[in-house]
Amino acid sequence: MNLSSNRESGLTLITLTLLLGLIAFITLLVLKIAPIYIDHSKVKSALTGVEQMENIETVTREEVWSSLEKRFNMNYVTDVTKDNVRVTRRGGYLKVEIEYEVVKPIVGNLSVLVNFYEIIEVGQE
């Protein structure tokens, strides 16, 4: 009997199934988490827009929220509410803080939680 010293190599069906399952899970995570960060970039863009408003030192809290709300509506941002926005005004100083969290279900009872905190400060106290 002639035994070959070379062993066959390659992926078995079980290894291939596990590898494809891992790739599918990573793809699922990316598809669930990427939109969260895309929306957050829109929130940062809205804050930058508020920071560049004309006469920013004289606008009221309501005008700041109104401007942010218009920008959020235009960009379809639904994760930020008025309760997540704090506007502080003292004289010519304006500080806008946005702190919010997003919870997205992944599979079954597995979810992802992402916390965000953004701040702008304009003017002198």
Side-chain angles (χ1 to χ4, degrees):
M1 187 179 271
N2 189 5
L3 294 176
S4 174
S5 63
N6 293 337
R7 299 188 77 195
E8 291 185 27
S9 62
L11 293 177
T12 64
L13 183 60
I14 294 172
T15 307
L16 183 63
T17 304
L18 290 175
L19 185 62
L20 290 176
L22 181 64
I23 291 171
F25 184 72
I26 291 172
T27 303
L28 177 68
L29 283 178
V30 168
L31 291 175
K32 293 284 187 167
I33 295 173
I36 296 171
Y37 284 96
I38 292 170
D39 282 350
H40 180 65
S41 70
K42 294 175 185 177
V43 170
K44 288 171 45 175
S45 173
L47 268 177
T48 303
V50 167
E51 189 175 21
Q52 295 172 351
M53 285 174 53
E54 292 181 16
N55 301 326
I56 189 68
E57 294 84 13
T58 61
V59 296
T60 64
R61 292 179 176 153
E62 291 76 22
E63 290 172 332
V64 169
W65 168 247
S66 175
S67 176
L68 281 172
E69 187 176 35
K70 288 176 188 175
R71 293 168 196 272
F72 292 158
N73 287 337
M74 185 172 54
N75 290 317
Y76 303 106
V77 175
T78 58
D79 298 322
V80 180
T81 63
K82 191 170 187 175
D83 296 334
N84 303 121
V85 178
R86 280 185 299 226
V87 179
T88 305
R89 164 159 297 297
R90 279 185 239 126
Y93 172 75
L94 175 71
K95 178 168 78 170
V96 181
E97 299 172 276
I98 298 179
E99 185 173 6
Y100 67 102
E101 61 184 33
V102 181
V103 179
K104 293 285 182 184
I106 301 294
V107 172
N109 64 352
L110 179 65
S111 298
V112 63
L113 167 69
V114 184
N115 291 312
F116 293 106
Y117 179 76
E118 292 295 330
I119 184 170
I120 61 164
E121 295 178 296
V122 179
Q124 299 290 328
E125 282 192 67

